[in-house]
Amino acid sequence: WFVYDGNKKIRREATMRGGWGYDVECSCGWITRTGGATLSYIREEVWYHKNIEAPVQEELNAKVGA
């Protein structure tokens, strides 16, 4: 998870409080690239990626490798 301090992107820490703009990067290379969205929006995007996009991509990769 990343947050924005003005235009500077910094790694989120558990002790951070206040209004931050969020982005996230997945180990598979997927990135939200919102420039600093609300936490609730980013959580929805992460859920969609983990539950919809990633499984579909894994299935497509399996078919290509078969």
Side-chain angles (χ1 to χ4, degrees):
W1 291 82
F2 294 95
V3 297
Y4 287 88
D5 181 13
N7 291 330
K8 184 179 177 186
K9 181 173 140 179
I10 56 176
R11 188 167 294 280
R12 181 185 181 274
E13 296 179 15
T15 59
M16 292 178 155
R17 299 290 181 258
W20 297 90
Y22 292 86
D23 263 327
V24 67
E25 295 181 13
C26 182
S27 60
C28 75
W30 174 81
I31 303 172
T32 54
R33 294 187 181 142
T34 64
T38 62
L39 182 58
S40 60
Y41 177 80
I42 295 298
R43 283 187 173 152
E44 288 179 23
E45 291 294 301
V46 169
W47 182 91
Y48 184 81
H49 173 68
K50 287 172 63 176
N51 294 287
I52 307 297
E53 289 178 346
V56 168
Q57 188 61 46
E58 287 177 14
E59 185 177 328
L60 290 174
N61 290 343
K63 288 181 180 178
V64 171

